[in-house]
Amino acid sequence: MSIASSNTSMRVPAGFRNLLEGLAREVLREQPTNVVAFAAQHFQKLLEQREAGGIDPVAWGAMLEN
């Protein structure tokens, strides 16, 4: 997916859409009062999983998008 911005064509990074859909799903499921803090915790958990040698959600999402 590309987004036109004046004369520049910007591309959404691979896996980004899947990453944001995952966040949106969790926000809708949990209904947090502080969405920004919830998002920070959500992404921190994903980062910890990646650093622990688990699944990289961005790489996994990129594979799903292809």
Side-chain angles (χ1 to χ4, degrees):
M1 175 191 316
S2 63
I3 301 169
S5 173
S6 69
N7 293 336
T8 305
S9 179
M10 298 170 52
R11 297 200 54 80
V12 175
F16 188 66
R17 178 180 173 163
N18 187 270
L19 196 64
L20 290 182
E21 285 175 354
L23 173 63
R25 208 171 15 258
E26 291 302 311
V27 166
L28 292 172
R29 188 170 62 83
E30 295 288 330
Q31 298 289 307
T33 56
N34 186 337
V35 176
V36 173
F38 181 85
Q41 291 173 343
H42 175 77
F43 288 124
Q44 183 63 40
K45 285 184 214 172
L46 293 178
L47 180 61
E48 289 169 2
Q49 288 174 353
R50 184 179 73 180
E51 289 175 345
I55 297 171
D56 182 350
V58 175
W60 185 75
M63 289 188 316
L64 290 177
E65 290 173 4
N66 289 332

